[in-house]
Amino acid sequence: IEKYEDIYSSDMGNVRFKQSDREYGILILMRINLLKRLESSVYAFRLTLQRILELINNTIAQVRDFDPRKEITLTDLSDSDFDMDDQNTDVFTFGKIVKINLIDMDYKTWLEDLEQDRIVLEELLCGIEPITPEHDEKLNVLMDTIRNKLANPINPNNKKIIVFSAFADTVEYLYEHVSKLLKRDYGLNSAMVTGSGGSKTTIPKLHTDLNTVLTCFSPLSKEKHLIMPDQKAEIDMLIATDCISEGQNLQDCDYLINYDIHWNPVRIIQRFGRIDRIGSRNPAIQLVNFWPTPNLDHYINLKHRVEARMALVDISATQEDNPLAIQQLDDLVDDEELRYRDRQLLRLKDEVLDLEDMNDGISLTDFSLEDFRADLLKFLEKNRELLENAPLGLYSVVPPLNDLFATIMPGVIFCLRQQDAAEDTEAPYQINPLHPCYLVYIQDNGNVRFSFGHAKQILTLFRELCSGKTAAYAELCDLFDRQTQDGQDMSYYDALLAKAMESINKNYRRRIAQGLTQSRNFVIPNQPVTSATFELVTWLVIKDQTHMQPTP
C-alpha cells in the first residue's frame, strides 16, 4: 500500500489523504459493521463471518497459485500463444476501487496476514457455534415479548405485530423461527418482506408480492374488502426490513418492535410512523426497542449516538415525534427554553443582551482552575486526617462582603456530590468540570446567582468569604441557631436546597443542548443528574445580622 500512497493521495487544503489512511478508515468501518451485525443477530453475524472466510480462502488459493517465475518462463514462448496483454490479468489483481497487481505487492507478507485472519475468523465461528436458536437469548426475549403481547393485548382483539430489522438475514432468521411459534401455538399467520424482493408467508397459495402481503396484514387501512374480497385469511405478524418504513399505511397494527436499532434516529421515527398514523382505530399503540447489551455498546456506542441525535432533533424541531421517549430524553428536552424556535424569538426580542445572564454565555469554568487546586493541595497536606474524619453535611455561617462584591448577598453555597457517578468516561466532565461535585450559590430570595456552570465564580466567592478565617462568627451562629431552633426546623434551608437542585437539573439540560448543537464529539452521559441521587457534602450560610429570612 505504501508504494501507491503518492499515486492515490489527493490534496485537500493543507490535509493530505493517503491510501493507507483510506485503508485504515475501511478497517474501522468493517469492525463497526461486523459488531452491528452481531448486535442485530448471531445468525447475521455468522453469515457475515462465513462469507468473509470464503472470500479469504479463495484469495489465499489465488495467491498461492501465483508464481512470478512463470512469467519469466512465458516470455520465452511466442507472443501469439501467451501474450501477457491478452491474458486475464484480473485473476491476480486485487481491489475493487484501487486495483493493485499482485506482482507489485509484498504478497508473501499479505498471504501471512490472510492466513492469520482466517484463524481469527475460524475461532469466532467456533465461539458462536453453540449459540443455536434455542440458546439465542435475544430471540427468546423476542418470543416472550410476543407471547406477552398476545396474552395481554393493549387493544381488545388486536394481535397484530410488526418486527423491524436493518438486515435481511436477520429478517429471514426471525421469520423461520417466530412464524413456527405463532402457527403452532396460536394458529396465526406470519409474513416477511425484504427489499431484495424476498417475501414469504405462512398462508398457502397466497401471492407474496409486497402489496398483497401488506394488504393481508393491514386489511382495514389497505381496504382489503375492495381489493381482495375473496381472500379471508389475514396476517398477524409482519417481519420486515426498512423497505416498508416509508409510505405505508399499516395502522391496523398497534405493536411495533425494533429488533435492532438503526444508526439514523429518523429511520426509527419512520418505522413507528407506520402505525402512529391518522386513521388508526387503536386507542393505544406501543413501541419496543431492543438495545445492544452494555458490553457490545461499549464498542459501537450505538445507544448514545442514536439518543444524542434524537435529542438534537427534538431541540431543533418541535419535540412532537420522538419514539425514544425514555426518561433521559424527556428530561433533556422537557425545558421550554430549550426549544430552538422559542429561544430564537427571545433573542430577537431582547436586542441588548446581558452577558452574565445569557443561558449560553461565557462561563469562567472554561478557564483554568489550577490556582484553586494548588490551594487545596496545600490545605490537604496540613489537614488530611481532619478532613478524612469529617462527616458529611458540615456547615458554617459567615457574613456577606457587600463592600467588596456587590453580588455576595445573604444566601447559601451548597456543595453536592452525585452518588454512584461513573468515573470511566469523560462525558460528564464536558458538562461539569467538577464532576461528580456540583456547586450552587442561591440567595435568600430564592434566586440562583451562580449554578454549577459557574464553578470558578463560586470558588472565588468561597475563598473570599472563608480564606484565612480560623474562628467561627459567634453572633451569626447564635442567630442561625435561634432561627432554626437549634437545627430542629430546617424547612427554610430545605426549600433553598430544593431550588438549588432544580437549578442543577435545568442547567444540566441546557448545557447538554449546547453540547449537542456545538460539537460532533459530544456524548450524553450514562448517568444524567436528572435521574441521579445527590448527597450534601457541605454548605456555607451567608447571613447578615440585620437580615430577615424571606420565604423562598
Side-chain angles (χ1 to χ4, degrees):
I1 292 175
E2 293 178 357
K3 182 176 180 179
Y4 287 84
E5 286 180 353
D6 293 333
I7 298 177
Y8 294 104
S9 63
S10 60
D11 287 324
M12 295 181 64
N14 295 324
V15 181
R16 189 171 179 84
F17 294 97
K18 300 181 293 188
Q19 180 62 21
S20 58
D21 298 329
R22 295 189 180 96
E23 296 293 337
Y24 180 76
I26 293 174
L27 182 149
I28 300 299
L29 288 174
M30 289 181 63
R31 182 180 65 186
I32 293 176
N33 286 335
L34 276 172
L35 293 173
K36 188 65 175 72
R37 294 277 287 183
L38 177 60
E39 183 265 335
S40 178
S41 67
V42 175
Y43 176 78
F45 183 63
R46 180 184 291 111
L47 285 182
T48 302
L49 292 182
Q50 290 173 345
R51 291 164 184 163
I52 297 175
L53 185 59
E54 181 181 1
L55 176 62
I56 288 179
N57 286 331
N58 292 336
T59 304
I60 289 176
Q62 293 183 51
V63 175
R64 285 177 174 171
D65 288 342
F66 176 72
D67 188 350
R69 292 175 297 180
K70 293 181 180 179
E71 192 173 58
I72 299 174
T73 304
L74 291 176
T75 57
D76 294 335
L77 301 176
S78 62
D79 291 340
S80 61
D81 290 331
F82 294 99
D83 187 350
M84 289 300 294
D85 291 337
D86 294 332
Q87 301 302 313
N88 183 13
T89 56
D90 284 342
V91 173
F92 297 112
T93 301
F94 296 88
K96 294 182 179 180
I97 299 177
V98 178
K99 295 184 179 296
I100 303 176
N101 197 295
L102 194 60
I103 198 172
D104 295 326
M105 296 173 57
D106 180 6
Y107 63 90
K108 293 182 179 180
T109 302
W110 186 41
L111 181 60
E112 294 175 358
D113 292 339
L114 289 172
E115 291 174 341
Q116 181 61 36
D117 288 346
R118 178 167 63 180
I119 293 174
V120 173
L121 291 172
E122 289 174 346
E123 290 177 350
L124 286 174
L125 285 170
C126 290
I128 64 175
E129 184 177 0
I131 308 178
T132 60
E134 294 75 16
H135 298 91
D136 186 344
E137 183 65 20
K138 187 176 182 181
L139 177 62
N140 292 332
V141 171
L142 174 65
M143 291 184 172
D144 290 341
T145 302
I146 293 172
R147 291 190 186 98
N148 181 66
K149 195 273 181 183
L150 295 177
N152 305 284
I154 57 178
N155 296 292
N157 301 321
N158 193 331
K159 302 177 180 179
K160 296 190 180 296
I161 303 172
I162 299 178
V163 180
F164 271 106
S165 173
F167 300 103
D169 292 331
T170 299
V171 168
E172 294 180 1
Y173 173 64
L174 296 180
Y175 175 77
E176 179 182 355
H177 299 284
V178 176
S179 63
K180 294 178 182 178
L181 167 72
L182 291 183
K183 196 68 173 179
R184 181 186 69 245
D185 296 347
Y186 301 96
L188 301 178
N189 290 309
S190 307
M192 60 161 279
V193 177
T194 61
S196 58
S199 300
K200 298 179 183 178
T201 179
T202 56
I203 301 178
K205 300 181 181 180
L206 181 71
H207 291 290
T208 57
D209 62 281
L210 179 63
N211 290 331
T212 300
V213 170
L214 297 184
T215 300
C216 289
F217 174 73
S218 189
L220 296 179
S221 63
K222 295 288 188 181
E223 298 183 331
K224 176 173 171 283
H225 65 285
L226 299 177
I227 302 174
M228 304 166 57
D230 298 330
Q231 179 56 255
K232 304 301 181 183
E234 287 190 13
I235 296 171
D236 289 289
M237 166 74 75
L238 180 63
I239 308 172
T241 61
D242 290 295
C243 66
I244 66 166
S245 64
E246 298 181 61
Q248 297 294 341
N249 295 316
L250 305 176
Q251 56 264 46
D252 288 16
C253 176
D254 64 350
Y255 201 85
L256 190 147
I257 300 174
N258 286 317
Y259 193 71
D260 50 48
I261 304 297
H262 199 281
W263 291 106
N264 185 358
V266 176
R267 187 62 57 85
I268 301 175
I269 296 174
Q270 292 172 339
R271 290 178 178 180
F272 195 49
R274 299 315 97 217
I275 66 174
D276 185 16
R277 303 182 70 79
I278 295 175
S280 173
R281 303 184 183 183
N282 299 305
I285 56 177
Q286 187 167 347
L287 174 68
V288 178
N289 293 317
F290 278 61
W291 293 100
T293 61
N295 289 340
L296 179 57
D297 194 52
H298 174 74
Y299 293 98
I300 61 178
N301 199 24
L302 175 66
K303 190 172 187 293
H304 277 154
R305 290 180 182 180
V306 173
E307 288 180 352
R309 292 174 182 176
M310 183 61 74
L312 184 57
V313 170
D314 283 343
I315 292 167
S316 60
T318 59
Q319 194 194 341
E320 300 298 333
D321 52 358
N322 180 4
L324 300 180
I326 60 176
Q327 184 63 35
Q328 178 180 351
L329 289 183
D330 286 345
D331 290 339
L332 296 183
V333 297
D334 191 38
D335 192 340
E336 192 74 22
E337 294 181 16
L338 295 184
R339 297 193 179 183
Y340 179 78
R341 296 175 183 175
D342 293 342
R343 293 192 65 191
Q344 293 301 312
L345 290 174
L346 289 174
R347 294 171 75 90
L348 289 174
K349 182 188 71 173
D350 301 325
E351 211 170 322
V352 179
L353 299 177
D354 183 354
L355 188 60
E356 268 192 341
D357 294 332
M358 283 180 62
N359 293 336
D360 50 357
I362 297 174
S363 171
L364 291 183
T365 53
D366 295 333
F367 302 101
S368 174
L369 298 174
E370 285 303 318
D371 53 339
F372 296 103
R373 292 189 178 95
D375 290 346
L376 179 60
L377 287 175
K378 292 179 182 178
F379 189 81
L380 283 174
E381 291 176 358
K382 298 179 181 179
N383 305 276
R384 182 177 299 276
E385 184 177 354
L386 177 65
L387 291 175
E388 289 178 349
N389 296 328
L392 294 177
L394 286 179
Y395 67 92
S396 184
V397 187
V398 297
L401 295 178
N402 296 327
D403 56 333
L404 296 179
F405 291 89
T407 57
I408 303 183
M409 303 295 292
V412 182
I413 296 177
F414 290 107
C415 178
L416 303 161
R417 181 167 58 202
Q418 182 180 348
Q419 292 183 331
D420 301 324
E423 299 291 347
D424 58 344
T425 174
E426 295 183 1
Y429 297 95
Q430 294 178 304
I431 301 172
N432 175 25
L434 299 182
H435 175 82
C437 294
Y438 289 77
L439 296 175
V440 179
Y441 167 39
I442 181 171
Q443 296 173 340
D444 277 345
N445 60 7
N447 175 51
V448 176
R449 187 64 185 89
F450 294 125
S451 188
F452 70 89
H454 300 87
K456 190 161 187 176
Q457 289 100 318
I458 299 177
L459 290 173
T460 301
L461 185 154
F462 204 107
R463 182 164 57 185
E464 293 295 332
L465 289 170
C466 302
S467 180
K469 306 298 189 297
T470 58
Y473 291 90
E475 294 182 0
L476 293 178
C477 290
D478 292 340
L479 177 62
F480 178 84
D481 290 339
R482 290 196 303 271
Q483 292 176 339
T484 61
Q485 300 179 19
D486 293 328
Q488 298 298 316
D489 182 11
M490 303 296 290
S491 58
Y492 172 77
Y493 292 99
D494 288 341
L496 288 180
L497 180 59
K499 283 186 172 292
M501 286 298 307
E502 181 182 345
S503 168
I504 290 176
N505 291 332
K506 182 177 180 180
N507 283 279
Y508 184 89
R509 293 193 299 266
R510 181 179 294 119
R511 292 176 74 86
I512 283 187
Q514 294 171 4
L516 290 170
T517 55
Q518 295 174 4
S519 173
R520 292 185 177 182
N521 298 323
F522 184 84
V523 176
I524 297 177
N526 279 321
Q527 297 172 307
V529 302
T530 50
S531 58
T533 303
F534 285 84
E535 57 187 0
L536 181 61
V537 179
T538 185
W539 50 302
L540 181 68
V541 180
I542 307 170
K543 179 170 289 295
D544 191 341
Q545 294 186 21
T546 61
H547 180 69
M548 299 299 294
Q549 296 176 168
T551 301

